[in-house]
Amino acid sequence: MGFTDAACLTCRKKSRRCDRARPNCRRCISKGLQCEGYPDKFRFCGIASRGKWKNREAPIPAQITPEGSSSENPPQVNHNNEQSGASATVADTAGLTTPMQSLTPSDQRGLDKLLASVEVETLLAHYDQIICPHQIAQLDGSDNPYRLYVLPLAYEQIGLLYAVLGLSACHLGRLKGDSHLCESAAVDYRLKAITALGRTIKKVGSGAFDENECDGVFATIQILLLHDLKLDQTLTVEHKRTVFFLGNLVWLDIIRAFSTPERLCFTQDLRKRLLSLCDLRFESVNGCPREIVFIIGEILERAKAHSSGRLEATEYEELLQGLVLKLYHWDSSRCFYPSDDPLWLSVAEAFRHTCILRSLRLLDATESAAEARIQESVAAILDSLANIPGSSALVELSVMPLFMAGADCLSPHSRHYILLRLAEINGRSEMGIEGPKTLLEKVWRARAQQPKHDRSNVPWMLFTHNSESAHQDDYLII
């Protein structure tokens, strides 16, 4: 399928899949809509339509091999999967973006200069081709929301562009062993992204804060966090994009509160309102079914209230016991999943027992890891994840369950299996995330140093509150 085989203009405006039938899309006909036809050719949108790429068709970026080296020959573009270039992606979403309205002359010049750089072109292509496919578990070839939303916004929001470039530079630099990219360039882009983010947020008080800037803030925060680690048809594309970013921030908020419930920012009502608007791409990106998110969110909220003295101990324990019982009784077979792949049930079960383990530790952080109910959840996680082959995209959603099982597993062969699976995920995603492994090894060493008669727990949370590393608290933001 070539560049001319794109979605019809009507389907693109409604942000839905198109059957690409000629001369008119059958999906439009079946819904009684007028098919607006197909564009003759793609061009860059937003800033790219005025800068280096003005009046030029979208080029194919240099191919980046798995080793991170560039090839002089253009890649073979396969439009049946998610490996098309960043340029094609920006062009393909031209109908989904709005013209820039709030760029300052300084930001305009900065964007023009950035987009004229060969390094920037390479980094954007790397983000599109290598990083984007691993940010969401897609099995059906549907549109990747990180391409659909983040890349077009990055061509309009300089802070988001810096954040994307920083993440890509860090990743590509590690692949190539290029210290300039993964250290100097990545840190420089990150600093510029944070500076631009602060400048943009300050505009909130002035009231001059449009939807694109708002979405740019959400997306920038998500991408910066990664440095350390069906919707209603009446919704506009901008609203869908906002909901997508906010939905993911809800889960990131849960993850941050796993080590310290006091960090929880979103309220339960806000979580429910936001996730009720999200489509199943929420599960594709984060793995955890939203019903489980609601339960663990309420558990963490109660823990936060208890730690601040707003919830008395007896009431707190009673409430948590009831919520843990909900987790035990939750039926994964009655949940909706992004596809019909039965492996989603295994992912759901792994996350259910992940949340059970955390909840039990909130009830009693000293309970021995050898207790039957702890080991039952550890075994349930490992058995569920054993169903997921390394060739499945779903395996990349299992880092957090693997970590939680590892923190309480006792047998050497279980620990060895967990390390093998973490290495398998790192090799597949090429993200080089060492945080979970490092933290697990600290827990295991501490347990090995305990006297034989000492069965007390060694909480993994103890190792996220020291000063050895500024980002240790965010090990679980995967």
Side-chain angles (χ1 to χ4, degrees), residues 101-292:
Q101 299 172 344
S102 55
L103 277 180
T104 64
S106 175
D107 281 351
Q108 176 73 68
R109 291 191 295 271
L111 273 168
D112 283 331
K113 183 178 180 180
L114 276 175
L115 293 169
S117 164
V118 174
E119 177 182 275
V120 167
E121 182 181 356
T122 300
L123 292 176
L124 286 175
H126 183 74
Y127 176 80
D128 173 76
Q129 295 177 356
I130 306 299
I131 297 177
C132 277
H134 296 292
Q135 289 189 271
I136 180 171
Q138 286 186 293
L139 305 177
D140 58 358
S142 57
D143 289 329
N144 186 313
Y146 288 94
R147 287 185 176 134
L148 190 67
Y149 301 145
V150 173
L151 280 170
L153 270 177
Y155 276 77
E156 299 188 4
Q157 305 291 332
I158 194 167
L160 177 56
L161 179 58
Y162 281 134
V164 169
L165 293 174
L167 177 62
S168 187
C170 181
H171 185 226
L172 182 57
R174 287 179 179 178
L175 287 179
K176 298 177 65 175
D178 187 329
S179 60
H180 166 72
L181 274 181
C182 65
E183 296 174 9
S184 301
V187 172
D188 184 51
Y189 285 132
R190 178 184 172 87
L191 179 60
K192 289 178 179 177
I194 293 172
T195 302
L197 178 64
R199 193 168 63 241
T200 304
I201 291 176
K202 284 182 180 179
K203 294 181 65 177
V204 175
S206 67
F209 202 62
D210 61 36
E211 285 186 337
N212 268 15
E213 287 178 306
C214 184
D215 289 344
V217 166
F218 299 145
T220 302
I221 291 171
Q222 285 192 49
I223 298 299
L224 286 174
L225 286 171
L226 286 174
H227 281 233
D228 296 327
L229 284 161
K230 263 187 195 182
L231 280 173
D232 191 326
Q233 290 298 320
T234 61
L235 289 176
T236 65
V237 170
E238 288 74 19
H239 289 160
K240 292 180 181 181
R241 190 174 61 192
T242 302
V243 168
F244 172 74
F245 292 144
L246 281 172
N248 292 338
L249 285 178
V250 167
W251 178 239
L252 290 173
D253 184 48
I254 293 289
I255 294 177
R256 290 185 71 249
F258 247 62
S259 62
T260 310
E262 291 81 2
R263 289 179 166 190
L264 195 69
C265 296
F266 287 78
T267 65
Q268 184 74 340
D269 286 342
L270 185 55
R271 271 189 293 275
K272 289 182 176 179
R273 285 166 56 192
L274 290 173
L275 296 190
S276 68
L277 297 173
C278 288
D279 62 12
L280 291 173
R281 283 181 295 193
F282 173 82
E283 281 79 2
S284 294
V285 171
N286 305 300
C288 189
R290 67 195 69 193
E291 291 91 342
I292 297 294

Side-chain angles (χ1 to χ4, degrees), residues 6-16 36-39 41-46 49 87-99 143 147-149 151-153 156 212 235-241:
C8 73
L9 296 176
T10 304
C11 287
R12 289 170 63 199
K13 287 179 180 178
K14 292 185 176 293
S15 188
R16 69 181 185 197
E36 297 181 19
Y38 302 85
K41 58 184 177 181
F42 292 128
R43 298 182 185 279
F44 278 93
C45 66
S49 64
S87 303
T89 302
V90 175
D92 193 37
T93 55
L96 303 180
T97 58
T98 57
D143 289 329
R147 287 185 176 134
L148 190 67
Y149 301 145
L151 280 170
L153 270 177
E156 299 188 4
N212 268 15
L235 289 176
T236 65
V237 170
E238 288 74 19
H239 289 160
K240 292 180 181 181
R241 190 174 61 192

Side-chain angles (χ1 to χ4, degrees), residues 312-327:
E312 189 265 335
T314 302
E315 183 183 3
Y316 168 67
E317 290 179 7
E318 290 177 354
L319 287 170
L320 247 63
Q321 291 284 7
L323 291 168
V324 171
L325 200 59
K326 281 188 177 182
L327 287 172

